[in-house]
Amino acid sequence: MAIDNSPEVASRPQPSAGDMVRFEKVVKQYGDNVVLRELDFRVAPGERITLIGPSGSGKTTILRLLMTLETCDGGRIDVDGESLTHMSRGGREVPADEKHIRQVRKKIGMVFQQFNLFPNMKVLRNVAEAPMHVLGMPRAEAETNARRLLDMVGLAAKTDAYPSQLSGGQQQRVAIARACAMQPKILLLDEVTSALDPELVAEVLNVLRDIAASTDITMLCVTHEMKFARDVSDRVLMFDQGQIIEQAPPDKLFSDPDHERTRSFLRAVLEER
């Protein structure tokens, strides 16, 4: 991983047990394009955070870094008191190897814009497969848990269906159940309704509202659905040019934002609805 590996890294603060997610001076760039500029932010256990801002502001990059679909070009990321980007070896801190990354990443689940279901597997197997192979869960336990989750997302009657037999909203609900089946402490949601027809958006958002209301899972959500963000978020972060320019509880940020860039962005988004 392309991470600062200088001797000074060993003297940096250790992960805080009080943070579920912690970004410290995180940099991500593609050539001359700096997507994240020494980003600092923290998420408490059980907190629901929504990231908003224009395209290219760095929101989805944050989720992809947490899923290790991208690597940092500087700084560090901690998850639930462990470093995702670094590990200890020989009494000093070094960039994390793949084994360490996989272990920490088990704490994170992600639901993408596209559903990414296995087309050749029935719904039940789509949800049960990863817990069996990644977590080593016995088949009977994995399938019982999968049925419970499918019931939670309103698809108990669809266990024997193939993804092609489902609507887009139903497929996305299966994807949510599949992410939850891995028993993550953190759930990442990347524009999960953007590929859906408008009439299917509500059914997916209602499932996520139920998860937010009935569990203590930490959620990081990238969305343009501002009503959903207002309903479920503890805190909303406004991004622009790779930095947080404003953050506040949703009632404050949506009703009385301090930053003109936030006001202009919200006007533009709400006019699209």
Coordinates of all heavy atoms in Angstrom, one line a residue, residues 135-228:
L135 N -16.6 -16.3 7.1 CA -16.7 -16.4 8.6 C -16.6 -17.8 9.1 O -16.5 -18.0 10.3 CB -18.0 -15.7 9.1 CG -18.2 -14.3 8.7 CD1 -19.5 -13.8 9.3 CD2 -17.1 -13.4 9.2
G136 N -16.7 -18.8 8.2 CA -16.7 -20.2 8.6 C -17.9 -20.6 9.4 O -17.9 -21.6 10.1
M137 N -19.0 -20.0 9.1 CA -20.3 -20.3 9.7 C -20.9 -21.6 9.2 O -20.9 -21.8 7.9 CB -21.3 -19.1 9.5 CG -22.6 -19.2 10.3 SD -23.7 -17.8 10.0 CE -22.7 -16.4 10.7
P138 N -21.3 -22.5 10.0 CA -22.0 -23.7 9.5 C -23.2 -23.4 8.6 O -23.9 -22.4 8.8 CB -22.4 -24.4 10.8 CG -21.6 -23.9 11.8 CD -21.3 -22.5 11.5
R139 N -23.4 -24.2 7.5 CA -24.4 -24.0 6.6 C -25.8 -23.7 7.2 O -26.5 -22.8 6.9 CB -24.5 -25.1 5.6 CG -25.7 -24.9 4.5 CD -25.7 -26.1 3.6 NE -24.6 -26.1 2.7 CZ -24.5 -25.3 1.6 NH1 -25.5 -24.5 1.2 NH2 -23.4 -25.4 0.9
A140 N -26.2 -24.6 8.2 CA -27.5 -24.5 8.8 C -27.6 -23.1 9.5 O -28.7 -22.5 9.4 CB -27.7 -25.6 9.8
E141 N -26.6 -22.7 10.2 CA -26.6 -21.4 10.9 C -26.7 -20.3 9.9 O -27.4 -19.3 10.1 CB -25.4 -21.3 11.8 CG -25.4 -20.0 12.6 CD -24.2 -19.8 13.5 OE1 -23.4 -20.8 13.6 OE2 -23.9 -18.7 14.0
A142 N -25.9 -20.4 8.8 CA -25.8 -19.3 7.8 C -27.2 -19.2 7.1 O -27.7 -18.0 6.8 CB -24.8 -19.6 6.8
E143 N -27.8 -20.3 6.8 CA -29.1 -20.2 6.1 C -30.2 -19.7 7.1 O -31.1 -19.0 6.6 CB -29.4 -21.6 5.5 CG -28.5 -22.0 4.4 CD -28.9 -23.2 3.7 OE1 -29.8 -23.9 4.2 OE2 -28.4 -23.5 2.6
T144 N -30.2 -20.1 8.3 CA -31.1 -19.6 9.3 C -31.0 -18.1 9.4 O -32.0 -17.4 9.5 CB -31.0 -20.3 10.7 OG1 -31.2 -21.7 10.5 CG2 -31.9 -19.7 11.7
N145 N -29.8 -17.6 9.5 CA -29.5 -16.2 9.6 C -30.0 -15.5 8.4 O -30.5 -14.4 8.4 CB -28.0 -16.0 9.9 CG -27.7 -14.5 10.3 OD1 -28.4 -13.9 11.1 ND2 -26.7 -13.9 9.6
A146 N -29.7 -16.1 7.2 CA -30.1 -15.5 5.9 C -31.6 -15.4 5.8 O -32.2 -14.3 5.4 CB -29.6 -16.3 4.8
R147 N -32.3 -16.4 6.3 CA -33.8 -16.3 6.3 C -34.3 -15.2 7.2 O -35.3 -14.5 6.9 CB -34.4 -17.7 6.7 CG -34.2 -18.8 5.7 CD -34.8 -20.1 6.1 NE -34.4 -21.2 5.3 CZ -35.0 -21.5 4.1 NH1 -36.0 -20.7 3.7 NH2 -34.5 -22.5 3.4
R148 N -33.7 -15.1 8.3 CA -34.1 -14.0 9.3 C -33.9 -12.6 8.6 O -34.7 -11.7 8.7 CB -33.2 -14.1 10.5 CG -33.5 -13.0 11.6 CD -32.6 -13.1 12.8 NE -31.2 -12.9 12.4 CZ -30.7 -11.7 12.2 NH1 -31.4 -10.6 12.3 NH2 -29.4 -11.6 12.0
L149 N -32.7 -12.4 8.0 CA -32.4 -11.2 7.3 C -33.3 -10.9 6.1 O -33.8 -9.8 5.9 CB -31.0 -11.1 6.9 CG -30.0 -11.1 8.1 CD1 -28.6 -11.3 7.6 CD2 -30.0 -9.7 8.8
L150 N -33.6 -11.9 5.4 CA -34.5 -11.7 4.2 C -36.0 -11.4 4.7 O -36.7 -10.6 4.1 CB -34.6 -13.0 3.4 CG -33.3 -13.2 2.5 CD1 -33.2 -14.6 2.0 CD2 -33.2 -12.1 1.4
D151 N -36.3 -11.9 5.9 CA -37.6 -11.5 6.4 C -37.6 -10.1 6.9 O -38.5 -9.3 6.7 CB -37.9 -12.5 7.6 CG -39.3 -12.1 8.3 OD1 -40.3 -12.2 7.6 OD2 -39.3 -11.9 9.5
M152 N -36.4 -9.7 7.4 CA -36.3 -8.3 7.9 C -36.4 -7.3 6.8 O -37.0 -6.2 6.9 CB -34.9 -8.1 8.5 CG -34.6 -6.7 9.0 SD -32.9 -6.5 9.6 CE -32.0 -6.5 8.0
V153 N -35.9 -7.7 5.6 CA -36.0 -6.8 4.4 C -37.3 -7.0 3.6 O -37.4 -6.5 2.5 CB -34.7 -6.8 3.5 CG1 -33.5 -6.4 4.3 CG2 -34.6 -8.2 2.9
G154 N -38.2 -7.9 4.1 CA -39.5 -8.1 3.4 C -39.4 -9.0 2.2 O -40.3 -9.0 1.4
L155 N -38.5 -10.0 2.2 CA -38.3 -10.9 1.1 C -38.3 -12.3 1.5 O -37.7 -13.2 0.9 CB -37.0 -10.5 0.3 CG -37.0 -9.2 -0.4 CD1 -35.6 -8.9 -1.0 CD2 -38.1 -9.1 -1.5
A156 N -39.0 -12.6 2.6 CA -39.0 -14.0 3.1 C -39.6 -15.0 2.1 O -39.2 -16.2 2.0 CB -39.8 -14.1 4.4
A157 N -40.4 -14.5 1.2 CA -41.1 -15.4 0.2 C -40.2 -15.5 -1.1 O -40.6 -16.3 -2.0 CB -42.4 -14.8 -0.2
K158 N -39.0 -14.9 -1.1 CA -38.2 -14.9 -2.3 C -36.9 -15.7 -2.2 O -36.0 -15.6 -3.0 CB -37.9 -13.5 -2.7 CG -39.1 -12.6 -3.1 CD -39.8 -13.0 -4.3 CE -40.9 -12.1 -4.7 NZ -41.5 -12.5 -6.0
T159 N -36.9 -16.6 -1.2 CA -35.6 -17.3 -0.9 C -35.2 -18.2 -2.1 O -34.0 -18.4 -2.3 CB -35.7 -18.2 0.3 OG1 -36.8 -19.0 0.2 CG2 -35.8 -17.3 1.6
D160 N -36.1 -18.7 -2.8 CA -35.8 -19.6 -3.9 C -35.8 -19.0 -5.3 O -35.7 -19.6 -6.3 CB -36.8 -20.8 -4.0 CG -36.6 -21.7 -2.8 OD1 -35.5 -21.9 -2.3 OD2 -37.6 -22.3 -2.3
A161 N -35.9 -17.6 -5.3 CA -35.9 -16.9 -6.6 C -34.5 -16.6 -7.0 O -33.6 -16.5 -6.1 CB -36.7 -15.6 -6.5
Y162 N -34.3 -16.5 -8.3 CA -33.0 -16.0 -8.8 C -33.0 -14.4 -8.9 O -34.1 -13.9 -9.1 CB -32.7 -16.6 -10.2 CG -32.3 -18.0 -10.1 CD1 -33.2 -19.1 -10.3 CD2 -30.9 -18.4 -9.8 CE1 -32.8 -20.4 -10.2 CE2 -30.5 -19.7 -9.7 CZ -31.5 -20.7 -9.9 OH -31.1 -22.0 -9.9
P163 N -31.9 -13.8 -8.9 CA -31.9 -12.3 -9.0 C -32.6 -11.8 -10.2 O -33.3 -10.7 -10.1 CB -30.4 -11.9 -9.0 CG -29.7 -13.0 -8.2 CD -30.5 -14.3 -8.5
S164 N -32.6 -12.5 -11.3 CA -33.2 -12.0 -12.5 C -34.7 -12.0 -12.4 O -35.4 -11.4 -13.2 CB -32.8 -12.9 -13.7 OG -33.2 -14.2 -13.5
Q165 N -35.3 -12.7 -11.4 CA -36.7 -12.8 -11.2 C -37.2 -11.7 -10.2 O -38.4 -11.6 -9.9 CB -37.1 -14.2 -10.6 CG -36.8 -15.3 -11.6 CD -36.9 -16.7 -11.0 OE1 -36.4 -17.0 -9.9 NE2 -37.7 -17.5 -11.7
L166 N -36.3 -10.8 -9.8 CA -36.6 -9.8 -8.8 C -36.6 -8.4 -9.5 O -35.9 -8.2 -10.4 CB -35.6 -9.8 -7.6 CG -35.5 -11.1 -6.9 CD1 -34.4 -10.9 -5.8 CD2 -36.8 -11.6 -6.3
S167 N -37.4 -7.5 -8.9 CA -37.2 -6.1 -9.3 C -35.9 -5.5 -8.8 O -35.2 -6.1 -8.0 CB -38.4 -5.3 -8.7 OG -38.3 -5.1 -7.3
G168 N -35.6 -4.3 -9.3 CA -34.4 -3.7 -8.9 C -34.4 -3.4 -7.4 O -33.4 -3.6 -6.7
G169 N -35.6 -2.9 -6.9 CA -35.7 -2.7 -5.5 C -35.5 -3.9 -4.6 O -34.9 -3.9 -3.6
Q170 N -36.1 -5.0 -5.1 CA -35.9 -6.3 -4.4 C -34.5 -6.7 -4.4 O -33.9 -7.2 -3.4 CB -36.8 -7.3 -5.0 CG -38.3 -7.1 -4.7 CD -39.2 -8.1 -5.5 OE1 -38.9 -8.5 -6.6 NE2 -40.3 -8.4 -4.9
Q171 N -33.8 -6.6 -5.5 CA -32.4 -7.0 -5.6 C -31.5 -6.2 -4.7 O -30.6 -6.7 -4.0 CB -31.9 -6.8 -7.0 CG -32.4 -7.8 -8.0 CD -31.8 -7.7 -9.4 OE1 -30.6 -7.8 -9.5 NE2 -32.6 -7.4 -10.4
Q172 N -31.8 -4.9 -4.5 CA -31.1 -4.0 -3.6 C -31.3 -4.4 -2.2 O -30.4 -4.4 -1.3 CB -31.3 -2.6 -3.9 CG -30.4 -1.6 -3.1 CD -29.0 -1.7 -3.5 OE1 -28.3 -2.8 -3.3 NE2 -28.4 -0.7 -4.2
R173 N -32.5 -4.8 -1.9 CA -32.9 -5.3 -0.5 C -32.1 -6.6 -0.2 O -31.7 -6.8 0.9 CB -34.4 -5.5 -0.3 CG -35.1 -4.1 -0.2 CD -36.5 -4.3 0.2 NE -37.4 -4.6 -0.9 CZ -38.5 -5.2 -0.9 NH1 -39.0 -5.7 0.2 NH2 -39.2 -5.4 -2.0
V174 N -32.0 -7.5 -1.2 CA -31.2 -8.7 -1.0 C -29.7 -8.3 -0.7 O -29.1 -8.9 0.1 CB -31.2 -9.6 -2.2 CG1 -30.3 -10.8 -2.1 CG2 -32.7 -10.2 -2.4
A175 N -29.2 -7.3 -1.5 CA -27.8 -6.8 -1.3 C -27.6 -6.3 0.1 O -26.6 -6.5 0.8 CB -27.5 -5.8 -2.3
I176 N -28.6 -5.6 0.7 CA -28.6 -5.1 2.0 C -28.5 -6.3 3.0 O -27.7 -6.3 4.0 CB -29.8 -4.2 2.3 CG1 -29.6 -2.9 1.5 CG2 -29.8 -3.8 3.8 CD1 -30.9 -2.0 1.5
A177 N -29.4 -7.3 2.8 CA -29.4 -8.4 3.7 C -28.1 -9.2 3.6 O -27.5 -9.6 4.6 CB -30.5 -9.4 3.3
R178 N -27.5 -9.2 2.4 CA -26.2 -9.9 2.3 C -25.1 -9.2 3.0 O -24.2 -9.8 3.7 CB -25.8 -10.0 0.8 CG -24.5 -10.8 0.5 CD -24.3 -10.9 -1.0 NE -24.1 -9.6 -1.6 CZ -23.8 -9.4 -2.9 NH1 -23.8 -10.5 -3.7 NH2 -23.7 -8.2 -3.4
A179 N -25.1 -7.9 3.0 CA -24.1 -7.1 3.7 C -24.3 -7.3 5.2 O -23.3 -7.5 5.9 CB -24.2 -5.6 3.4
C180 N -25.5 -7.3 5.7 CA -25.8 -7.5 7.1 C -25.4 -8.9 7.6 O -25.1 -9.2 8.7 CB -27.2 -7.2 7.4 SG -27.7 -5.4 7.3
A181 N -25.5 -9.9 6.6 CA -25.2 -11.3 7.0 C -23.8 -11.5 7.5 O -23.5 -12.5 8.2 CB -25.5 -12.2 5.8
M182 N -22.9 -10.6 7.1 CA -21.5 -10.7 7.5 C -21.3 -10.1 8.9 O -20.2 -10.1 9.4 CB -20.6 -10.0 6.5 CG -20.5 -10.6 5.2 SD -19.8 -12.3 5.3 CE -18.1 -11.9 5.7
Q183 N -22.4 -9.7 9.6 CA -22.4 -9.2 10.9 C -21.3 -8.1 11.1 O -20.5 -8.1 12.1 CB -22.1 -10.3 11.9 CG -23.1 -11.5 11.8 CD -22.7 -12.7 12.7 OE1 -21.6 -12.8 13.2 NE2 -23.7 -13.6 12.9
P184 N -21.4 -7.1 10.2 CA -20.4 -6.0 10.3 C -20.8 -5.0 11.4 O -21.9 -4.9 11.9 CB -20.6 -5.3 9.0 CG -22.0 -5.5 8.6 CD -22.3 -6.9 9.1
K185 N -19.7 -4.4 11.9 CA -20.0 -3.3 12.9 C -20.2 -2.0 12.2 O -20.8 -1.1 12.8 CB -18.7 -3.1 13.8 CG -18.5 -4.3 14.7 CD -17.4 -4.0 15.7 CE -17.3 -5.2 16.8 NZ -16.3 -4.8 17.8
I186 N -19.8 -1.9 10.9 CA -20.0 -0.7 10.1 C -20.7 -1.1 8.8 O -20.2 -2.0 8.1 CB -18.6 0.0 9.8 CG1 -17.9 0.3 11.1 CG2 -18.8 1.2 9.0 CD1 -16.4 0.5 10.9
L187 N -21.7 -0.3 8.4 CA -22.3 -0.5 7.1 C -22.1 0.7 6.3 O -22.5 1.8 6.7 CB -23.8 -0.8 7.3 CG -24.7 -1.1 6.1 CD1 -24.1 -2.4 5.5 CD2 -26.1 -1.3 6.5
L188 N -21.6 0.5 5.1 CA -21.3 1.6 4.1 C -22.4 1.5 3.0 O -22.6 0.5 2.5 CB -19.9 1.5 3.5 CG -18.7 1.3 4.5 CD1 -17.4 1.1 3.7 CD2 -18.6 2.4 5.5
L189 N -22.9 2.7 2.7 CA -24.0 2.7 1.7 C -23.6 3.8 0.7 O -23.6 5.0 1.0 CB -25.3 3.1 2.4 CG -25.7 2.2 3.6 CD1 -26.8 2.9 4.4 CD2 -26.2 0.9 3.1
D190 N -23.4 3.3 -0.5 CA -22.9 4.2 -1.6 C -24.0 4.4 -2.6 O -24.2 3.6 -3.6 CB -21.7 3.6 -2.3 CG -21.1 4.5 -3.4 OD1 -21.4 5.8 -3.3 OD2 -20.4 4.0 -4.2
E191 N -24.8 5.5 -2.5 CA -25.9 5.9 -3.4 C -26.7 4.7 -3.8 O -26.9 4.3 -4.9 CB -25.2 6.5 -4.7 CG -24.5 7.8 -4.5 CD -25.5 9.0 -4.4 OE1 -26.7 8.8 -4.2 OE2 -25.0 10.1 -4.4
V192 N -27.2 4.0 -2.8 CA -27.8 2.7 -3.0 C -29.2 2.7 -3.7 O -29.7 1.7 -4.1 CB -28.1 2.0 -1.6 CG1 -26.7 1.7 -1.0 CG2 -29.0 2.8 -0.7
T193 N -29.7 3.9 -3.9 CA -31.0 4.1 -4.7 C -30.7 4.7 -6.1 O -31.7 4.8 -6.8 CB -32.0 4.9 -3.9 OG1 -31.5 6.2 -3.7 CG2 -32.3 4.3 -2.6
S194 N -29.5 5.0 -6.4 CA -29.3 5.7 -7.7 C -29.6 4.9 -8.9 O -29.9 5.5 -10.0 CB -27.9 6.3 -7.7 OG -26.9 5.2 -7.8
A195 N -29.5 3.6 -8.8 CA -29.8 2.7 -10.0 C -31.3 2.3 -10.1 O -31.6 1.5 -10.9 CB -28.9 1.5 -10.0
L196 N -32.1 2.8 -9.2 CA -33.5 2.3 -9.1 C -34.4 3.3 -9.8 O -34.2 4.5 -9.8 CB -33.9 2.2 -7.6 CG -33.1 1.2 -6.8 CD1 -33.6 1.2 -5.4 CD2 -33.2 -0.2 -7.4
D197 N -35.5 2.8 -10.3 CA -36.6 3.6 -10.8 C -37.2 4.3 -9.6 O -37.2 3.8 -8.4 CB -37.7 2.8 -11.4 CG -37.2 2.1 -12.7 OD1 -36.3 2.7 -13.4 OD2 -37.7 1.1 -13.1
P198 N -37.7 5.6 -9.8 CA -38.2 6.4 -8.6 C -39.2 5.7 -7.7 O -39.1 5.8 -6.5 CB -38.8 7.6 -9.3 CG -38.1 7.7 -10.6 CD -37.8 6.3 -11.0
E199 N -40.1 4.8 -8.3 CA -41.1 4.2 -7.5 C -40.5 3.1 -6.6 O -41.2 2.6 -5.7 CB -42.2 3.6 -8.3 CG -41.8 2.5 -9.3 CD -41.4 3.0 -10.6 OE1 -41.0 4.2 -10.8 OE2 -41.5 2.2 -11.6
L200 N -39.3 2.7 -6.8 CA -38.7 1.6 -6.0 C -37.8 2.2 -4.9 O -37.3 1.4 -4.1 CB -37.9 0.7 -6.9 CG -38.6 0.0 -8.0 CD1 -37.7 -0.9 -8.9 CD2 -39.8 -0.9 -7.5
V201 N -37.5 3.5 -5.0 CA -36.6 4.1 -4.0 C -37.1 3.9 -2.6 O -36.4 3.6 -1.7 CB -36.3 5.5 -4.4 CG1 -35.6 6.2 -3.3 CG2 -35.5 5.6 -5.7
A202 N -38.4 4.2 -2.4 CA -38.9 4.3 -1.1 C -38.8 2.9 -0.3 O -38.5 2.9 0.9 CB -40.4 4.7 -1.1
E203 N -39.0 1.8 -1.1 CA -38.9 0.5 -0.4 C -37.6 0.2 0.2 O -37.4 -0.4 1.2 CB -39.4 -0.6 -1.3 CG -38.5 -0.9 -2.5 CD -39.1 -2.0 -3.4 OE1 -40.1 -1.8 -4.0 OE2 -38.4 -3.0 -3.6
V204 N -36.5 0.6 -0.6 CA -35.1 0.4 -0.1 C -34.8 1.3 1.1 O -34.3 0.9 2.1 CB -34.1 0.6 -1.2 CG1 -32.7 0.6 -0.7 CG2 -34.3 -0.4 -2.3
L205 N -35.2 2.6 1.0 CA -34.9 3.6 2.1 C -35.7 3.2 3.3 O -35.2 3.3 4.4 CB -35.3 5.0 1.6 CG -34.5 5.6 0.5 CD1 -34.9 7.0 0.2 CD2 -33.0 5.5 0.8
N206 N -36.9 2.6 3.2 CA -37.6 2.2 4.4 C -36.9 1.0 5.1 O -36.9 1.0 6.3 CB -39.0 1.8 4.0 CG -39.9 3.0 3.7 OD1 -39.7 4.1 4.2 ND2 -41.0 2.7 2.9
V207 N -36.3 0.1 4.3 CA -35.5 -1.0 4.9 C -34.4 -0.4 5.7 O -34.1 -0.8 6.9 CB -35.0 -1.9 3.9 CG1 -33.9 -2.9 4.4 CG2 -36.2 -2.8 3.4
L208 N -33.7 0.6 5.1 CA -32.5 1.2 5.8 C -32.9 2.0 7.0 O -32.2 2.0 8.1 CB -31.7 2.1 4.8 CG -31.1 1.3 3.7 CD1 -30.5 2.3 2.7 CD2 -30.0 0.4 4.2
R209 N -34.1 2.6 7.0 CA -34.6 3.3 8.2 C -34.9 2.3 9.3 O -34.6 2.5 10.5 CB -35.9 4.0 7.8 CG -35.7 5.3 7.0 CD -37.1 6.1 6.9 NE -36.9 7.3 6.2 CZ -37.1 7.4 4.9 NH1 -37.5 6.3 4.1 NH2 -36.9 8.6 4.2
D210 N -35.4 1.1 8.9 CA -35.7 0.1 9.9 C -34.4 -0.4 10.6 O -34.3 -0.6 11.8 CB -36.5 -1.1 9.3 CG -37.9 -0.7 9.0 OD1 -38.4 0.3 9.5 OD2 -38.5 -1.5 8.2
I211 N -33.4 -0.6 9.7 CA -32.1 -1.1 10.3 C -31.5 0.0 11.2 O -31.0 -0.3 12.3 CB -31.1 -1.3 9.1 CG1 -31.6 -2.6 8.3 CG2 -29.7 -1.6 9.6 CD1 -30.8 -2.8 7.1
A212 N -31.6 1.3 10.8 CA -31.1 2.3 11.7 C -31.8 2.4 13.0 O -31.2 2.7 14.0 CB -31.2 3.7 10.9
A213 N -33.1 2.2 12.9 CA -33.9 2.3 14.2 C -33.8 1.1 15.1 O -34.0 1.2 16.3 CB -35.4 2.5 13.8
S214 N -33.5 -0.1 14.5 CA -33.6 -1.3 15.3 C -32.2 -1.9 15.7 O -32.1 -2.9 16.4 CB -34.4 -2.4 14.6 OG -33.8 -2.7 13.3
T215 N -31.1 -1.4 15.2 CA -29.8 -1.9 15.5 C -28.9 -0.8 15.9 O -29.2 0.4 15.9 CB -29.1 -2.6 14.2 OG1 -28.7 -1.5 13.3 CG2 -30.1 -3.5 13.5
D216 N -27.7 -1.2 16.4 CA -26.7 -0.2 16.8 C -25.5 -0.2 15.8 O -24.4 0.3 16.2 CB -26.2 -0.5 18.2 CG -25.5 -1.9 18.3 OD1 -25.5 -2.6 17.3 OD2 -25.0 -2.2 19.4
I217 N -25.8 -0.6 14.6 CA -24.7 -0.6 13.6 C -24.3 0.8 13.2 O -25.2 1.7 13.2 CB -25.2 -1.4 12.4 CG1 -24.0 -1.7 11.5 CG2 -26.2 -0.6 11.6 CD1 -24.3 -2.7 10.4
T218 N -23.0 1.0 13.0 CA -22.5 2.3 12.6 C -22.8 2.4 11.1 O -22.5 1.5 10.4 CB -21.0 2.4 12.9 OG1 -20.8 2.3 14.3 CG2 -20.5 3.8 12.5
M219 N -23.3 3.6 10.6 CA -23.6 3.7 9.2 C -22.9 4.9 8.6 O -23.0 6.0 9.2 CB -25.1 3.8 9.0 CG -25.9 2.5 9.4 SD -27.7 2.7 9.3 CE -28.0 3.0 7.6
L220 N -22.3 4.7 7.5 CA -21.8 5.9 6.7 C -22.5 5.8 5.3 O -22.4 4.8 4.6 CB -20.2 5.8 6.4 CG -19.4 6.4 7.5 CD1 -19.4 5.5 8.8 CD2 -17.9 6.6 7.0
C221 N -23.1 6.9 5.0 CA -24.0 6.8 3.8 C -23.7 8.0 2.9 O -23.6 9.1 3.3 CB -25.5 6.9 4.3 SG -26.7 7.0 2.9
V222 N -23.5 7.7 1.6 CA -23.4 8.7 0.5 C -24.7 8.7 -0.2 O -25.1 7.7 -0.7 CB -22.2 8.4 -0.4 CG1 -22.2 9.4 -1.6 CG2 -20.9 8.5 0.3
T223 N -25.4 9.8 -0.2 CA -26.7 9.9 -0.9 C -27.0 11.3 -1.3 O -26.5 12.3 -0.8 CB -27.8 9.3 0.1 OG1 -29.0 9.2 -0.6 CG2 -28.0 10.3 1.3
H224 N -27.9 11.3 -2.3 CA -28.6 12.6 -2.7 C -30.0 12.6 -2.2 O -30.8 13.6 -2.5 CB -28.5 12.8 -4.2 CG -27.2 13.3 -4.7 ND1 -26.1 12.4 -5.0 CD2 -26.7 14.5 -4.9 CE1 -25.1 13.1 -5.4 NE2 -25.4 14.4 -5.3
E225 N -30.4 11.6 -1.5 CA -31.8 11.6 -0.9 C -31.8 12.3 0.4 O -31.5 11.8 1.5 CB -32.2 10.1 -0.7 CG -32.3 9.3 -2.0 CD -33.5 9.7 -2.8 OE1 -34.4 10.4 -2.3 OE2 -33.5 9.4 -4.0
M226 N -32.0 13.6 0.3 CA -31.9 14.5 1.5 C -32.9 14.2 2.6 O -32.6 14.4 3.8 CB -31.9 16.0 1.1 CG -30.8 16.3 0.2 SD -29.1 16.0 0.9 CE -28.1 15.7 -0.5
K227 N -34.1 13.8 2.2 CA -35.1 13.5 3.3 C -34.6 12.3 4.1 O -34.7 12.2 5.3 CB -36.4 13.2 2.7 CG -37.5 13.0 3.7 CD -38.9 12.8 3.1 CE -40.0 12.7 4.2 NZ -39.7 11.7 5.2
F228 N -34.1 11.3 3.4 CA -33.5 10.1 4.1 C -32.4 10.5 5.0 O -32.3 10.1 6.1 CB -33.1 9.1 3.0 CG -32.3 7.9 3.6 CD1 -33.0 6.9 4.3 CD2 -30.9 7.8 3.5 CE1 -32.3 5.9 4.9 CE2 -30.3 6.7 4.0 CZ -31.0 5.8 4.7

